[in-house]
Amino acid sequence: MGYLIIVALIQAFSFSLIGEYLAGHVDSYFAVLARVVLAGLVFLPLTRWRQVEPRFMRSMLLIGALQYGITYVCLYLSFRVLTVPEVLLFTILTPLHVTLIEDAMNRRFNPWALLAALVAVGGAAVIRFDSISGEFFIGFLLLQLANFTYAAGQVLYRHLVARHPSDLPHYARFGYFYLGALLVVLPAFLLFGNAQHLPSTDVQWLVLLFLGLCPTALGLYWWNKGACLVSGGTLAVMNNLHVPVGLLLNLLIWNQHEPLGRLFIGGGIILASVWLSRLGARAQSPLVGKA
């Protein structure tokens, strides 16, 4: 679970960076493209090209297209019409997507995992219960598509690693993920991007550099690796940990006026849901990937 906690903290910080420094200033498609190019430069030199099964390669291309390509295009577009707290709020449904996709792939119904995910959603909803602006439906729909594709990517990766065990470490087969993402974001930028809105300040370039190397390269790798080490219920719940942390960081650093009482209550409920999912997972054998 350590990998997931670290990445959740990085993601929480990243939401504010996107909302404060990039949204409305830098073309969304370029920002998404720059991040995946930087991440690819980290992992592609480490990638094994001959010792990996073709079916695994194709599956990783699909996972990258889903979990990064579609997800982050939708995420960045949502920042055009939503505030940072609203974006954080609407990502609380990711655990439900994770739980339902996980159960569908395993052809089972796990009430503990679903209950834990619902508790996590309830905890995050407490935080932003009465602060939703009127014109948010487009952003909401974009984020639900992003939630689904992000959930599908991490669940598919767990199952893919379990079905295709290898003596190779995770990172030696992870470069295909970024190639799959590039297959989505590069055409998106060429078709819809605006070259007149590239980064124009050193701060914007530094933010993109951080987002490319930390949340996109290390973050997505650690998240998917960590997803292989926990149960489906715990994975679902951990997808919501960034919500209270992200709101707290946004409040402390960028002076967003958030109700602290609901923030701490909601965060406590989310932490309780982690315990609930682990309690229900004791009777299950989690999928374990090779370190």
Side-chain angles (χ1 to χ4, degrees):
M1 189 184 293
Y3 289 111
L4 301 181
I5 293 175
I6 293 173
V7 177
L9 295 176
I10 295 174
Q11 288 177 337
F13 187 62
S14 301
F15 275 90
S16 288
L17 291 180
I18 296 170
E20 299 294 334
Y21 296 109
L22 300 182
H25 305 289
V26 177
D27 179 70
S28 299
Y29 298 101
F30 176 80
V32 175
L33 175 62
R35 288 180 61 169
V36 76
V37 169
L38 288 169
L41 291 176
V42 173
F43 276 92
L44 290 179
L46 305 175
T47 301
R48 297 290 183 88
W49 304 100
R50 295 184 178 181
Q51 296 175 270
V52 180
E53 298 177 26
R55 186 174 181 180
F56 185 91
M57 294 181 187
R58 293 192 296 269
S59 297
M60 284 297 291
L61 292 176
L62 173 62
I63 291 170
L66 290 172
Q67 193 177 352
Y68 183 86
I70 297 175
T71 296
Y72 278 81
V73 167
C74 292
L75 174 66
Y76 272 72
L77 291 177
S78 72
F79 275 102
R80 295 181 178 181
V81 292
L82 298 175
T83 65
V84 172
E86 286 170 343
V87 170
L88 286 164
L89 169 64
F90 293 148
T91 62
I92 67 175
L93 295 179
T94 303
L96 290 180
H97 293 286
V98 171
T99 300
L100 295 175
I101 294 171
E102 179 73 32
D103 287 348
M105 293 191 67
N106 288 320
R107 298 181 180 179
R108 69 163 190 260
F109 176 71
N110 181 358
W112 282 98
L114 182 58
L115 177 61
L118 288 172
V119 170
V121 169
V126 166
I127 299 169
R128 295 292 301 175
F129 182 71
D130 62 352
S131 304
I132 302 176
S133 61
E135 299 179 355
F136 69 92
F137 292 105
I138 294 177
F140 177 81
L141 293 176
L142 284 170
L143 281 176
Q144 294 324 299
L145 177 57
N147 288 341
F148 175 79
T149 53
Y150 188 75
Q154 56 192 286
V155 172
L156 288 172
Y157 184 79
R158 292 179 74 242
H159 286 262
L160 181 66
V161 170
R163 292 173 181 172
H164 296 272
S166 172
D167 293 331
L168 295 174
H170 280 269
Y171 64 79
R173 301 193 293 174
F174 204 74
Y176 302 101
F177 176 96
Y178 297 106
L179 288 178
L182 190 63
L183 292 176
V184 173
V185 300
L186 180 57
F189 172 70
L190 295 176
L191 291 173
F192 307 112
N194 187 344
Q196 302 299 318
H197 290 86
L198 300 184
S200 58
T201 68
D202 292 340
V203 172
Q204 291 170 350
W205 282 111
L206 287 174
V207 168
L208 276 179
L209 182 64
F210 170 81
L211 293 175
L213 296 179
C214 294
T216 309
L218 294 179
L220 285 170
Y221 168 64
W222 280 344
W223 185 269
N224 282 342
K225 182 177 179 179
C228 298
L229 305 175
V230 299
S231 69
T234 298
L235 176 62
V237 169
M238 292 303 295
N239 273 273
N240 259 358
L241 185 60
H242 69 279
V243 176
V245 178
L247 286 171
L248 182 60
L249 288 173
N250 196 259
L251 170 68
L252 294 177
I253 300 176
W254 286 278
N255 297 316
Q256 296 290 332
H257 300 290
E258 299 297 328
L260 289 178
R262 290 206 308 270
L263 178 65
F264 289 122
I265 292 173
I269 293 173
I270 291 175
L271 291 177
S273 68
V274 175
W275 172 83
L276 182 63
S277 72
R278 292 178 66 85
L279 180 67
R282 289 178 181 176
Q284 298 180 357
S285 298
L287 294 171
V288 178
K290 185 175 292 294

